[in-house]
Amino acid sequence: DLINYKQVVNVSENTRNSIEDSKIAANGKSYYYKVVPYRTVSGKKKAGKTSNIVKATRLNQNISYTVKGGKLKTTITITKSSAAKTYEIYRATSKSGTYKKVATLTAANYKTSSIVWNNTGLTKNKTYYYKIRMVNANSSPFSAKKYAKTTA
């Protein structure tokens, strides 16, 4: 029964095993998905068995954090969200550069309302750019990009 469901993507054979529905609101609202396989038989589409319903909740994008430069390091302080199990921190050396994941922090390991993480071993007098996303069963969109410059 596909009442109140709409198609969000058409996946061709052997192209991928996951999808991203980027049009949903980032407001913590839950969405429900089904997968319906189709095949063409004698020129007509035939539906296969519908999957179980999968629930997904898109996390809020508002990640509150600061980045401060220090001696050969930057310090990132994140205000914890009850929606996040982990935080993924990505870093680049220019605002529009390639961001690489440099840390995954588990929220439960931090007993205070904030997470403080030091990115050490950096180059002196260099600016580093960061973006963060929250992760539970799903990932949030990335936060706003922030930067800090290291000192000697």
Side-chain angles (χ1 to χ4, degrees):
D1 181 12
L2 295 177
I3 296 173
N4 297 323
Y5 284 84
K6 72 176 190 172
Q7 181 175 340
V8 293
V9 69
N10 184 17
V11 180
S12 300
E13 182 178 4
N14 297 324
T15 57
R16 55 186 151 168
N17 58 10
S18 66
I19 61 136
E20 182 175 327
D21 187 357
S22 60
K23 295 180 182 177
I24 63 175
N27 60 5
K29 181 177 177 182
S30 294
Y31 293 84
Y32 299 87
Y33 296 87
K34 291 182 180 184
V35 176
V36 181
Y38 286 92
R39 63 184 176 149
T40 304
V41 177
S42 301
K44 294 184 180 184
K45 275 188 175 181
K46 300 285 184 178
K49 183 179 178 185
T50 302
S51 73
N52 292 330
I53 296 171
V54 175
K55 178 182 175 183
T57 303
R58 186 165 177 188
L59 298 172
N60 291 321
Q61 184 173 344
N62 300 330
I63 300 171
S64 176
Y65 75 106
T66 60
V67 180
K68 292 183 181 178
K71 187 175 182 179
L72 303 178
K73 71 174 184 175
T74 56
T75 300
I76 296 177
T77 304
I78 305 167
T79 302
K80 285 172 45 176
S81 166
S82 60
K85 289 186 179 180
T86 62
Y87 292 88
E88 294 177 341
I89 300 175
Y90 291 75
R91 182 186 71 211
T93 54
S94 69
K95 188 173 185 177
S96 59
T98 301
Y99 284 77
K100 295 181 181 177
K101 184 165 47 170
V102 293
T104 300
L105 307 175
T106 303
N109 292 343
Y110 298 85
K111 303 303 178 195
T112 62
S113 61
S114 60
I115 296 171
V116 178
W117 179 73
N118 292 306
N119 191 184
T120 58
L122 302 176
T123 303
K124 67 180 177 179
N125 298 319
K126 187 166 185 165
T127 301
Y128 292 91
Y129 296 81
Y130 294 89
K131 62 183 182 178
I132 299 173
R133 68 178 175 185
M134 296 185 288
V135 180
N136 62 18
N138 307 297
S139 297
S140 74
F142 282 105
S143 66
K145 296 172 184 172
K146 295 187 180 185
Y147 65 92
K149 186 174 183 177
T150 58
T151 58

